[in-house]
Amino acid sequence: MSRRLTALAAAAVAGLLAVAGCGGDDEPGAAPPSTPSTPTTAPSPEPTPTPTPEPRTFTLVATGDVLLHERLWTQARNDAGPGEEMDFAPQLANIAPVVQGAGLAVCHLETPLAPTGGPYEGYPTFSGPPQVATALAETGYDACTTASNHTYDQGAKGVDRTLEALDAAGLAHAGSARTPAESQVITHVQVESAGGPVDVALLSYTFGFNGIPAPDGETWRGNEIDPDRILADAATARAEGAEVVVAALHWGDEYVHEPNALQSELAPQLIASPDIDLLLGHHAHVVQPIENIGGEWVVYGMGNLMANHAEPEGPKAEGLLTRFTFTESAGGAGTFAVTDAEFLPLYQTYQPPVEVLDVPAALASGDTGTATAARLQEALERTTQVVQSRGGAAAGLTMLESP
């Protein structure tokens, strides 16, 4: 307000007071004494609540045996670029989008690897081209399990070469070892998620080594199935900070869809442990069921990922990719459970160009490679029937939708 407006207002007030007989005795018309104002206190701001952390979540993808027959490395030679001896990545290109989309992708390298340039060997004592490790990494795999009945096929040098090739490709590994110290180390993988990293431990064991003795008596070079040891290793992994523990088991009867006595007895015992969150199986070279036991999942057998057996195009050409979504309990307590379980039927073609097919995607697109649509439909139906034969669908198991 301007000074002029202030003076006029004061005079008006004085006039009113005079009319009412309330003016001052000495100076009629003088402004009355001012009344002190009461200071106003601003309200205190509401405290900002601490946000509840979003539960962490990630997906784990796993596949079956990488069993390197000669037909596969012949195809890898044909696919090699200038200056390359072999390239296995084109054989896996059809599943790469699913594998690369996982938070953690785990393969099973069943066979030991040879030196670059060979010599390479197939059945019965395998020695595969090391370039497969590079291809697995390029496809999107993060880790490979290595305990199998073929671990000792090429002795100590075969074990060493295999792990060196995986290291060079940037792939974590579990199941075999180069030194006694390495055999005591639990494999931990830090998996990225939107809410922060998750510590996942990977364990790997086999039913045996085809009667081949441990190289130089060094039994620590390969992990054999022993329930007490598996449970102890899982407890150690948890004590070391693992938030999810996955155990891979090389077991079952070859070419038989139904789990055998060892699988049926051991699976409930192991998955009941509070330290084991998922069981992944391989070795049978055909697809086996996926079962929910006590709220947790057991994959008895994923068949082959890469293989070309002497009897082509039968059930041994069919494989399985599995994907599990792990989600942290509310409040970020560090406890994880599977909230989504999925499977994807795969098919390994036999006629060149040899490749692994995503069966539903191939049928949907009509791009069936050297397989026929009828054969892929057969693979789809058989795989679905076998996988769900132990009530998986009722427990929430579904077929994965390809990207």
Side-chain angles (χ1 to χ4, degrees), residues 88-100 139 305 321 344-349 353-362 365 367-370 376 400 402-403:
F88 287 90
Q91 298 181 47
L92 297 170
N94 294 310
I95 65 166
V98 177
V99 176
Q100 292 169 4
T139 303
L305 175 63
L321 179 149
L344 181 67
L346 305 179
Y347 184 81
Q348 169 78 73
T349 64
V354 175
E355 60 183 332
V356 178
L357 297 178
D358 170 336
V359 171
S365 68
D367 184 5
T368 62
T370 56
L376 293 186
L400 188 155
S402 303

PDB file of all heavy atoms in Angstrom, residues 88-100 139 305 321 344-349 353-362 365 367-370 376 400 402-403:
ATOM      1  N   PHE A  88      30.471 -72.466 -34.578  1.00  0.00           N
ATOM      2  CA  PHE A  88      29.270 -73.199 -34.164  1.00  0.00           C
ATOM      3  C   PHE A  88      28.071 -72.280 -33.929  1.00  0.00           C
ATOM      4  O   PHE A  88      26.951 -72.769 -33.780  1.00  0.00           O
ATOM      5  CB  PHE A  88      29.548 -73.978 -32.866  1.00  0.00           C
ATOM      6  CG  PHE A  88      30.427 -75.180 -33.039  1.00  0.00           C
ATOM      7  CD1 PHE A  88      31.804 -75.073 -32.929  1.00  0.00           C
ATOM      8  CD2 PHE A  88      29.879 -76.430 -33.298  1.00  0.00           C
ATOM      9  CE1 PHE A  88      32.627 -76.184 -33.070  1.00  0.00           C
ATOM     10  CE2 PHE A  88      30.688 -77.554 -33.445  1.00  0.00           C
ATOM     11  CZ  PHE A  88      32.067 -77.427 -33.337  1.00  0.00           C
ATOM     12  N   ALA A  89      28.295 -70.966 -33.870  1.00  0.00           N
ATOM     13  CA  ALA A  89      27.219 -70.055 -33.501  1.00  0.00           C
ATOM     14  C   ALA A  89      26.012 -70.119 -34.441  1.00  0.00           C
ATOM     15  O   ALA A  89      24.857 -70.050 -33.977  1.00  0.00           O
ATOM     16  CB  ALA A  89      27.747 -68.628 -33.401  1.00  0.00           C
ATOM     17  N   PRO A  90      26.198 -70.256 -35.773  1.00  0.00           N
ATOM     18  CA  PRO A  90      25.016 -70.331 -36.638  1.00  0.00           C
ATOM     19  C   PRO A  90      24.083 -71.492 -36.314  1.00  0.00           C
ATOM     20  O   PRO A  90      22.870 -71.401 -36.546  1.00  0.00           O
ATOM     21  CB  PRO A  90      25.623 -70.480 -38.039  1.00  0.00           C
ATOM     22  CG  PRO A  90      26.936 -69.776 -37.944  1.00  0.00           C
ATOM     23  CD  PRO A  90      27.442 -70.129 -36.570  1.00  0.00           C
ATOM     24  N   GLN A  91      24.627 -72.567 -35.763  1.00  0.00           N
ATOM     25  CA  GLN A  91      23.775 -73.702 -35.397  1.00  0.00           C
ATOM     26  C   GLN A  91      22.836 -73.367 -34.242  1.00  0.00           C
ATOM     27  O   GLN A  91      21.817 -74.035 -34.042  1.00  0.00           O
ATOM     28  CB  GLN A  91      24.642 -74.910 -35.030  1.00  0.00           C
ATOM     29  CG  GLN A  91      25.512 -75.418 -36.163  1.00  0.00           C
ATOM     30  CD  GLN A  91      26.346 -76.617 -35.779  1.00  0.00           C
ATOM     31  OE1 GLN A  91      25.848 -77.563 -35.183  1.00  0.00           O
ATOM     32  NE2 GLN A  91      27.633 -76.594 -36.124  1.00  0.00           N
ATOM     33  N   LEU A  92      23.184 -72.339 -33.469  1.00  0.00           N
ATOM     34  CA  LEU A  92      22.400 -71.963 -32.287  1.00  0.00           C
ATOM     35  C   LEU A  92      21.633 -70.661 -32.489  1.00  0.00           C
ATOM     36  O   LEU A  92      20.996 -70.160 -31.557  1.00  0.00           O
ATOM     37  CB  LEU A  92      23.325 -71.830 -31.073  1.00  0.00           C
ATOM     38  CG  LEU A  92      24.044 -73.112 -30.648  1.00  0.00           C
ATOM     39  CD1 LEU A  92      25.107 -72.810 -29.607  1.00  0.00           C
ATOM     40  CD2 LEU A  92      23.048 -74.138 -30.111  1.00  0.00           C
ATOM     41  N   ALA A  93      21.684 -70.103 -33.686  1.00  0.00           N
ATOM     42  CA  ALA A  93      21.115 -68.776 -33.917  1.00  0.00           C
ATOM     43  C   ALA A  93      19.614 -68.711 -33.630  1.00  0.00           C
ATOM     44  O   ALA A  93      19.099 -67.673 -33.198  1.00  0.00           O
ATOM     45  CB  ALA A  93      21.390 -68.341 -35.358  1.00  0.00           C
ATOM     46  N   ASN A  94      18.892 -69.814 -33.849  1.00  0.00           N
ATOM     47  CA  ASN A  94      17.436 -69.783 -33.666  1.00  0.00           C
ATOM     48  C   ASN A  94      17.018 -69.636 -32.207  1.00  0.00           C
ATOM     49  O   ASN A  94      15.916 -69.157 -31.929  1.00  0.00           O
ATOM     50  CB  ASN A  94      16.810 -71.055 -34.243  1.00  0.00           C
ATOM     51  CG  ASN A  94      16.960 -71.132 -35.748  1.00  0.00           C
ATOM     52  OD1 ASN A  94      16.658 -70.190 -36.462  1.00  0.00           O
ATOM     53  ND2 ASN A  94      17.446 -72.267 -36.232  1.00  0.00           N
ATOM     54  N   ILE A  95      17.868 -70.054 -31.273  1.00  0.00           N
ATOM     55  CA  ILE A  95      17.499 -69.928 -29.862  1.00  0.00           C
ATOM     56  C   ILE A  95      18.206 -68.760 -29.192  1.00  0.00           C
ATOM     57  O   ILE A  95      17.945 -68.461 -28.020  1.00  0.00           O
ATOM     58  CB  ILE A  95      17.791 -71.222 -29.080  1.00  0.00           C
ATOM     59  CG1 ILE A  95      19.292 -71.524 -29.031  1.00  0.00           C
ATOM     60  CG2 ILE A  95      16.998 -72.387 -29.652  1.00  0.00           C
ATOM     61  CD1 ILE A  95      19.660 -72.587 -28.008  1.00  0.00           C
ATOM     62  N   ALA A  96      19.088 -68.076 -29.915  1.00  0.00           N
ATOM     63  CA  ALA A  96      19.849 -66.986 -29.318  1.00  0.00           C
ATOM     64  C   ALA A  96      18.975 -65.896 -28.703  1.00  0.00           C
ATOM     65  O   ALA A  96      19.295 -65.392 -27.620  1.00  0.00           O
ATOM     66  CB  ALA A  96      20.815 -66.395 -30.345  1.00  0.00           C
ATOM     67  N   PRO A  97      17.860 -65.480 -29.320  1.00  0.00           N
ATOM     68  CA  PRO A  97      17.051 -64.436 -28.691  1.00  0.00           C
ATOM     69  C   PRO A  97      16.546 -64.803 -27.299  1.00  0.00           C
ATOM     70  O   PRO A  97      16.521 -63.957 -26.398  1.00  0.00           O
ATOM     71  CB  PRO A  97      15.892 -64.248 -29.679  1.00  0.00           C
ATOM     72  CG  PRO A  97      16.451 -64.666 -30.998  1.00  0.00           C
ATOM     73  CD  PRO A  97      17.369 -65.811 -30.676  1.00  0.00           C
ATOM     74  N   VAL A  98      16.137 -66.053 -27.114  1.00  0.00           N
ATOM     75  CA  VAL A  98      15.653 -66.474 -25.795  1.00  0.00           C
ATOM     76  C   VAL A  98      16.817 -66.551 -24.802  1.00  0.00           C
ATOM     77  O   VAL A  98      16.711 -66.106 -23.657  1.00  0.00           O
ATOM     78  CB  VAL A  98      14.938 -67.833 -25.882  1.00  0.00           C
ATOM     79  CG1 VAL A  98      14.487 -68.302 -24.499  1.00  0.00           C
ATOM     80  CG2 VAL A  98      13.746 -67.745 -26.821  1.00  0.00           C
ATOM     81  N   VAL A  99      17.938 -67.119 -25.243  1.00  0.00           N
ATOM     82  CA  VAL A  99      19.091 -67.267 -24.357  1.00  0.00           C
ATOM     83  C   VAL A  99      19.631 -65.893 -23.948  1.00  0.00           C
ATOM     84  O   VAL A  99      19.914 -65.640 -22.769  1.00  0.00           O
ATOM     85  CB  VAL A  99      20.190 -68.105 -25.040  1.00  0.00           C
ATOM     86  CG1 VAL A  99      21.433 -68.190 -24.156  1.00  0.00           C
ATOM     87  CG2 VAL A  99      19.670 -69.514 -25.350  1.00  0.00           C
ATOM     88  N   GLN A 100      19.760 -64.999 -24.912  1.00  0.00           N
ATOM     89  CA  GLN A 100      20.295 -63.674 -24.618  1.00  0.00           C
ATOM     90  C   GLN A 100      19.364 -62.846 -23.746  1.00  0.00           C
ATOM     91  O   GLN A 100      19.802 -61.943 -23.034  1.00  0.00           O
ATOM     92  CB  GLN A 100      20.580 -62.934 -25.928  1.00  0.00           C
ATOM     93  CG  GLN A 100      21.737 -63.541 -26.714  1.00  0.00           C
ATOM     94  CD  GLN A 100      21.861 -62.983 -28.117  1.00  0.00           C
ATOM     95  OE1 GLN A 100      21.125 -62.077 -28.511  1.00  0.00           O
ATOM     96  NE2 GLN A 100      22.792 -63.525 -28.893  1.00  0.00           N
ATOM     97  N   THR A 139      26.108 -66.956 -28.166  1.00  0.00           N
ATOM     98  CA  THR A 139      24.671 -67.243 -28.152  1.00  0.00           C
ATOM     99  C   THR A 139      23.999 -66.618 -26.945  1.00  0.00           C
ATOM    100  O   THR A 139      22.783 -66.371 -26.973  1.00  0.00           O
ATOM    101  CB  THR A 139      24.441 -68.763 -28.178  1.00  0.00           C
ATOM    102  OG1 THR A 139      25.082 -69.304 -29.342  1.00  0.00           O
ATOM    103  CG2 THR A 139      22.972 -69.127 -28.212  1.00  0.00           C
ATOM    104  N   LEU A 305      20.949 -80.483 -26.502  1.00  0.00           N
ATOM    105  CA  LEU A 305      20.944 -79.191 -27.177  1.00  0.00           C
ATOM    106  C   LEU A 305      21.587 -79.363 -28.543  1.00  0.00           C
ATOM    107  O   LEU A 305      20.988 -79.068 -29.576  1.00  0.00           O
ATOM    108  CB  LEU A 305      21.690 -78.138 -26.356  1.00  0.00           C
ATOM    109  CG  LEU A 305      21.833 -76.774 -27.067  1.00  0.00           C
ATOM    110  CD1 LEU A 305      20.480 -76.152 -27.322  1.00  0.00           C
ATOM    111  CD2 LEU A 305      22.744 -75.833 -26.291  1.00  0.00           C
ATOM    112  N   LEU A 321      14.412 -76.450 -23.862  1.00  0.00           N
ATOM    113  CA  LEU A 321      14.914 -75.254 -23.194  1.00  0.00           C
ATOM    114  C   LEU A 321      13.933 -74.941 -22.079  1.00  0.00           C
ATOM    115  O   LEU A 321      12.714 -74.950 -22.285  1.00  0.00           O
ATOM    116  CB  LEU A 321      15.008 -74.089 -24.183  1.00  0.00           C
ATOM    117  CG  LEU A 321      15.507 -72.741 -23.649  1.00  0.00           C
ATOM    118  CD1 LEU A 321      16.256 -71.967 -24.740  1.00  0.00           C
ATOM    119  CD2 LEU A 321      14.360 -71.872 -23.122  1.00  0.00           C
ATOM    120  N   LEU A 344      10.386 -74.889 -23.651  1.00  0.00           N
ATOM    121  CA  LEU A 344      10.361 -74.649 -25.092  1.00  0.00           C
ATOM    122  C   LEU A 344      10.905 -75.884 -25.804  1.00  0.00           C
ATOM    123  O   LEU A 344      12.075 -76.237 -25.620  1.00  0.00           O
ATOM    124  CB  LEU A 344      11.209 -73.425 -25.446  1.00  0.00           C
ATOM    125  CG  LEU A 344      11.256 -73.046 -26.930  1.00  0.00           C
ATOM    126  CD1 LEU A 344       9.883 -72.573 -27.399  1.00  0.00           C
ATOM    127  CD2 LEU A 344      12.304 -71.958 -27.168  1.00  0.00           C
ATOM    128  N   PRO A 345      10.103 -76.568 -26.612  1.00  0.00           N
ATOM    129  CA  PRO A 345      10.595 -77.720 -27.362  1.00  0.00           C
ATOM    130  C   PRO A 345      11.623 -77.295 -28.420  1.00  0.00           C
ATOM    131  O   PRO A 345      11.440 -76.302 -29.123  1.00  0.00           O
ATOM    132  CB  PRO A 345       9.333 -78.288 -28.024  1.00  0.00           C
ATOM    133  CG  PRO A 345       8.191 -77.777 -27.196  1.00  0.00           C
ATOM    134  CD  PRO A 345       8.636 -76.411 -26.751  1.00  0.00           C
ATOM    135  N   LEU A 346      12.699 -78.069 -28.524  1.00  0.00           N
ATOM    136  CA  LEU A 346      13.754 -77.828 -29.511  1.00  0.00           C
ATOM    137  C   LEU A 346      13.893 -79.057 -30.405  1.00  0.00           C
ATOM    138  O   LEU A 346      13.500 -80.168 -30.029  1.00  0.00           O
ATOM    139  CB  LEU A 346      15.089 -77.551 -28.811  1.00  0.00           C
ATOM    140  CG  LEU A 346      15.133 -76.425 -27.785  1.00  0.00           C
ATOM    141  CD1 LEU A 346      16.539 -76.323 -27.183  1.00  0.00           C
ATOM    142  CD2 LEU A 346      14.711 -75.095 -28.399  1.00  0.00           C
ATOM    143  N   TYR A 347      14.504 -78.847 -31.573  1.00  0.00           N
ATOM    144  CA  TYR A 347      14.743 -79.958 -32.485  1.00  0.00           C
ATOM    145  C   TYR A 347      16.084 -79.751 -33.179  1.00  0.00           C
ATOM    146  O   TYR A 347      16.368 -78.669 -33.703  1.00  0.00           O
ATOM    147  CB  TYR A 347      13.636 -80.063 -33.536  1.00  0.00           C
ATOM    148  CG  TYR A 347      13.777 -81.255 -34.457  1.00  0.00           C
ATOM    149  CD1 TYR A 347      13.357 -82.517 -34.056  1.00  0.00           C
ATOM    150  CD2 TYR A 347      14.349 -81.119 -35.722  1.00  0.00           C
ATOM    151  CE1 TYR A 347      13.495 -83.616 -34.897  1.00  0.00           C
ATOM    152  CE2 TYR A 347      14.490 -82.217 -36.563  1.00  0.00           C
ATOM    153  CZ  TYR A 347      14.065 -83.461 -36.137  1.00  0.00           C
ATOM    154  OH  TYR A 347      14.208 -84.545 -36.959  1.00  0.00           O
ATOM    155  N   GLN A 348      16.922 -80.794 -33.161  1.00  0.00           N
ATOM    156  CA  GLN A 348      18.226 -80.771 -33.826  1.00  0.00           C
ATOM    157  C   GLN A 348      18.087 -81.410 -35.197  1.00  0.00           C
ATOM    158  O   GLN A 348      17.773 -82.607 -35.318  1.00  0.00           O
ATOM    159  CB  GLN A 348      19.245 -81.550 -32.993  1.00  0.00           C
ATOM    160  CG  GLN A 348      20.556 -81.836 -33.685  1.00  0.00           C
ATOM    161  CD  GLN A 348      21.485 -80.642 -33.730  1.00  0.00           C
ATOM    162  OE1 GLN A 348      22.053 -80.259 -32.735  1.00  0.00           O
ATOM    163  NE2 GLN A 348      21.629 -80.056 -34.920  1.00  0.00           N
ATOM    164  N   THR A 349      18.291 -80.632 -36.274  1.00  0.00           N
ATOM    165  CA  THR A 349      18.189 -81.194 -37.616  1.00  0.00           C
ATOM    166  C   THR A 349      19.394 -82.092 -37.911  1.00  0.00           C
ATOM    167  O   THR A 349      20.459 -81.952 -37.308  1.00  0.00           O
ATOM    168  CB  THR A 349      18.097 -80.095 -38.679  1.00  0.00           C
ATOM    169  OG1 THR A 349      19.310 -79.333 -38.678  1.00  0.00           O
ATOM    170  CG2 THR A 349      16.918 -79.170 -38.414  1.00  0.00           C
ATOM    171  N   PRO A 353      21.814 -77.765 -43.827  1.00  0.00           N
ATOM    172  CA  PRO A 353      22.645 -77.240 -42.739  1.00  0.00           C
ATOM    173  C   PRO A 353      22.111 -77.663 -41.369  1.00  0.00           C
ATOM    174  O   PRO A 353      20.933 -77.446 -41.068  1.00  0.00           O
ATOM    175  CB  PRO A 353      22.552 -75.728 -42.921  1.00  0.00           C
ATOM    176  CG  PRO A 353      21.224 -75.522 -43.589  1.00  0.00           C
ATOM    177  CD  PRO A 353      21.028 -76.715 -44.474  1.00  0.00           C
ATOM    178  N   VAL A 354      22.985 -78.254 -40.573  1.00  0.00           N
ATOM    179  CA  VAL A 354      22.609 -78.718 -39.243  1.00  0.00           C
ATOM    180  C   VAL A 354      22.368 -77.503 -38.358  1.00  0.00           C
ATOM    181  O   VAL A 354      23.189 -76.579 -38.322  1.00  0.00           O
ATOM    182  CB  VAL A 354      23.724 -79.610 -38.661  1.00  0.00           C
ATOM    183  CG1 VAL A 354      23.402 -80.006 -37.236  1.00  0.00           C
ATOM    184  CG2 VAL A 354      23.917 -80.841 -39.537  1.00  0.00           C
ATOM    185  N   GLU A 355      21.246 -77.515 -37.623  1.00  0.00           N
ATOM    186  CA  GLU A 355      20.930 -76.392 -36.742  1.00  0.00           C
ATOM    187  C   GLU A 355      19.936 -76.838 -35.674  1.00  0.00           C
ATOM    188  O   GLU A 355      19.286 -77.877 -35.805  1.00  0.00           O
ATOM    189  CB  GLU A 355      20.345 -75.225 -37.529  1.00  0.00           C
ATOM    190  CG  GLU A 355      19.062 -75.572 -38.257  1.00  0.00           C
ATOM    191  CD  GLU A 355      18.517 -74.424 -39.093  1.00  0.00           C
ATOM    192  OE1 GLU A 355      18.778 -73.253 -38.740  1.00  0.00           O
ATOM    193  OE2 GLU A 355      17.830 -74.696 -40.098  1.00  0.00           O
ATOM    194  N   VAL A 356      19.836 -76.038 -34.607  1.00  0.00           N
ATOM    195  CA  VAL A 356      18.866 -76.271 -33.548  1.00  0.00           C
ATOM    196  C   VAL A 356      17.659 -75.380 -33.817  1.00  0.00           C
ATOM    197  O   VAL A 356      17.805 -74.168 -33.982  1.00  0.00           O
ATOM    198  CB  VAL A 356      19.466 -75.956 -32.162  1.00  0.00           C
ATOM    199  CG1 VAL A 356      18.409 -76.158 -31.068  1.00  0.00           C
ATOM    200  CG2 VAL A 356      20.681 -76.835 -31.899  1.00  0.00           C
ATOM    201  N   LEU A 357      16.477 -75.975 -33.858  1.00  0.00           N
ATOM    202  CA  LEU A 357      15.256 -75.230 -34.157  1.00  0.00           C
ATOM    203  C   LEU A 357      14.439 -74.982 -32.894  1.00  0.00           C
ATOM    204  O   LEU A 357      14.327 -75.856 -32.025  1.00  0.00           O
ATOM    205  CB  LEU A 357      14.395 -75.997 -35.165  1.00  0.00           C
ATOM    206  CG  LEU A 357      14.982 -76.240 -36.552  1.00  0.00           C
ATOM    207  CD1 LEU A 357      13.997 -77.062 -37.383  1.00  0.00           C
ATOM    208  CD2 LEU A 357      15.308 -74.930 -37.249  1.00  0.00           C
ATOM    209  N   ASP A 358      13.890 -73.793 -32.800  1.00  0.00           N
ATOM    210  CA  ASP A 358      12.833 -73.471 -31.847  1.00  0.00           C
ATOM    211  C   ASP A 358      11.559 -74.018 -32.498  1.00  0.00           C
ATOM    212  O   ASP A 358      11.062 -73.464 -33.471  1.00  0.00           O
ATOM    213  CB  ASP A 358      12.796 -71.947 -31.671  1.00  0.00           C
ATOM    214  CG  ASP A 358      11.593 -71.446 -30.884  1.00  0.00           C
ATOM    215  OD1 ASP A 358      10.565 -72.134 -30.833  1.00  0.00           O
ATOM    216  OD2 ASP A 358      11.675 -70.316 -30.359  1.00  0.00           O
ATOM    217  N   VAL A 359      11.041 -75.118 -31.976  1.00  0.00           N
ATOM    218  CA  VAL A 359       9.978 -75.847 -32.678  1.00  0.00           C
ATOM    219  C   VAL A 359       8.715 -75.008 -32.876  1.00  0.00           C
ATOM    220  O   VAL A 359       8.211 -74.902 -34.005  1.00  0.00           O
ATOM    221  CB  VAL A 359       9.671 -77.174 -31.951  1.00  0.00           C
ATOM    222  CG1 VAL A 359       8.428 -77.837 -32.547  1.00  0.00           C
ATOM    223  CG2 VAL A 359      10.876 -78.115 -32.042  1.00  0.00           C
ATOM    224  N   PRO A 360       8.146 -74.386 -31.829  1.00  0.00           N
ATOM    225  CA  PRO A 360       6.929 -73.594 -32.070  1.00  0.00           C
ATOM    226  C   PRO A 360       7.157 -72.450 -33.052  1.00  0.00           C
ATOM    227  O   PRO A 360       6.294 -72.167 -33.895  1.00  0.00           O
ATOM    228  CB  PRO A 360       6.561 -73.072 -30.674  1.00  0.00           C
ATOM    229  CG  PRO A 360       7.190 -74.034 -29.728  1.00  0.00           C
ATOM    230  CD  PRO A 360       8.466 -74.444 -30.394  1.00  0.00           C
ATOM    231  N   ALA A 361       8.308 -71.777 -32.954  1.00  0.00           N
ATOM    232  CA  ALA A 361       8.587 -70.662 -33.855  1.00  0.00           C
ATOM    233  C   ALA A 361       8.733 -71.149 -35.291  1.00  0.00           C
ATOM    234  O   ALA A 361       8.259 -70.497 -36.235  1.00  0.00           O
ATOM    235  CB  ALA A 361       9.846 -69.930 -33.406  1.00  0.00           C
ATOM    236  N   ALA A 362       9.398 -72.287 -35.481  1.00  0.00           N
ATOM    237  CA  ALA A 362       9.578 -72.827 -36.826  1.00  0.00           C
ATOM    238  C   ALA A 362       8.238 -73.212 -37.442  1.00  0.00           C
ATOM    239  O   ALA A 362       7.979 -72.959 -38.628  1.00  0.00           O
ATOM    240  CB  ALA A 362      10.513 -74.032 -36.790  1.00  0.00           C
ATOM    241  N   SER A 365       6.301 -69.950 -38.343  1.00  0.00           N
ATOM    242  CA  SER A 365       6.834 -69.185 -39.470  1.00  0.00           C
ATOM    243  C   SER A 365       6.860 -69.985 -40.769  1.00  0.00           C
ATOM    244  O   SER A 365       6.928 -69.405 -41.857  1.00  0.00           O
ATOM    245  CB  SER A 365       8.247 -68.710 -39.155  1.00  0.00           C
ATOM    246  OG  SER A 365       9.149 -69.817 -39.091  1.00  0.00           O
ATOM    247  N   ASP A 367       9.356 -71.762 -41.496  1.00  0.00           N
ATOM    248  CA  ASP A 367      10.784 -71.928 -41.784  1.00  0.00           C
ATOM    249  C   ASP A 367      11.305 -73.096 -40.958  1.00  0.00           C
ATOM    250  O   ASP A 367      11.835 -72.925 -39.864  1.00  0.00           O
ATOM    251  CB  ASP A 367      11.538 -70.639 -41.452  1.00  0.00           C
ATOM    252  CG  ASP A 367      13.015 -70.714 -41.832  1.00  0.00           C
ATOM    253  OD1 ASP A 367      13.425 -71.728 -42.439  1.00  0.00           O
ATOM    254  OD2 ASP A 367      13.763 -69.773 -41.501  1.00  0.00           O
ATOM    255  N   THR A 368      11.146 -74.289 -41.482  1.00  0.00           N
ATOM    256  CA  THR A 368      11.476 -75.507 -40.739  1.00  0.00           C
ATOM    257  C   THR A 368      12.846 -76.070 -41.099  1.00  0.00           C
ATOM    258  O   THR A 368      13.186 -77.187 -40.691  1.00  0.00           O
ATOM    259  CB  THR A 368      10.402 -76.582 -40.989  1.00  0.00           C
ATOM    260  OG1 THR A 368      10.393 -76.906 -42.381  1.00  0.00           O
ATOM    261  CG2 THR A 368       9.031 -76.097 -40.551  1.00  0.00           C
ATOM    262  N   GLY A 369      13.649 -75.313 -41.833  1.00  0.00           N
ATOM    263  CA  GLY A 369      14.973 -75.796 -42.192  1.00  0.00           C
ATOM    264  C   GLY A 369      14.887 -77.075 -42.992  1.00  0.00           C
ATOM    265  O   GLY A 369      14.075 -77.201 -43.908  1.00  0.00           O
ATOM    266  N   THR A 370      15.713 -78.054 -42.611  1.00  0.00           N
ATOM    267  CA  THR A 370      15.696 -79.328 -43.336  1.00  0.00           C
ATOM    268  C   THR A 370      14.776 -80.354 -42.679  1.00  0.00           C
ATOM    269  O   THR A 370      14.762 -81.522 -43.062  1.00  0.00           O
ATOM    270  CB  THR A 370      17.125 -79.906 -43.432  1.00  0.00           C
ATOM    271  OG1 THR A 370      17.674 -80.045 -42.118  1.00  0.00           O
ATOM    272  CG2 THR A 370      18.017 -78.996 -44.260  1.00  0.00           C
ATOM    273  N   LEU A 376       8.251 -81.795 -36.981  1.00  0.00           N
ATOM    274  CA  LEU A 376       8.286 -80.823 -35.895  1.00  0.00           C
ATOM    275  C   LEU A 376       7.002 -80.861 -35.069  1.00  0.00           C
ATOM    276  O   LEU A 376       7.036 -80.700 -33.843  1.00  0.00           O
ATOM    277  CB  LEU A 376       8.523 -79.420 -36.444  1.00  0.00           C
ATOM    278  CG  LEU A 376       9.885 -79.171 -37.080  1.00  0.00           C
ATOM    279  CD1 LEU A 376      10.044 -77.698 -37.442  1.00  0.00           C
ATOM    280  CD2 LEU A 376      11.025 -79.614 -36.169  1.00  0.00           C
ATOM    281  N   LEU A 400       6.785 -71.764 -23.326  1.00  0.00           N
ATOM    282  CA  LEU A 400       7.362 -70.436 -23.501  1.00  0.00           C
ATOM    283  C   LEU A 400       6.961 -69.858 -24.847  1.00  0.00           C
ATOM    284  O   LEU A 400       6.993 -70.552 -25.869  1.00  0.00           O
ATOM    285  CB  LEU A 400       8.884 -70.536 -23.372  1.00  0.00           C
ATOM    286  CG  LEU A 400       9.742 -69.282 -23.339  1.00  0.00           C
ATOM    287  CD1 LEU A 400      11.050 -69.599 -22.605  1.00  0.00           C
ATOM    288  CD2 LEU A 400      10.078 -68.779 -24.731  1.00  0.00           C
ATOM    289  N   SER A 402       7.994 -67.655 -27.814  1.00  0.00           N
ATOM    290  CA  SER A 402       9.231 -67.155 -28.393  1.00  0.00           C
ATOM    291  C   SER A 402       9.136 -65.656 -28.630  1.00  0.00           C
ATOM    292  O   SER A 402       8.047 -65.120 -28.900  1.00  0.00           O
ATOM    293  CB  SER A 402       9.533 -67.873 -29.709  1.00  0.00           C
ATOM    294  OG  SER A 402       9.607 -69.270 -29.496  1.00  0.00           O
ATOM    295  N   PRO A 403      10.273 -64.930 -28.547  1.00  0.00           N
ATOM    296  CA  PRO A 403      10.253 -63.495 -28.783  1.00  0.00           C
ATOM    297  C   PRO A 403       9.776 -63.176 -30.198  1.00  0.00           C
ATOM    298  O   PRO A 403      10.027 -63.938 -31.123  1.00  0.00           O
ATOM    299  CB  PRO A 403      11.720 -63.103 -28.616  1.00  0.00           C
ATOM    300  CG  PRO A 403      12.356 -64.189 -27.836  1.00  0.00           C
ATOM    301  CD  PRO A 403      11.597 -65.427 -28.192  1.00  0.00           C
TER     302      PRO A 403
END
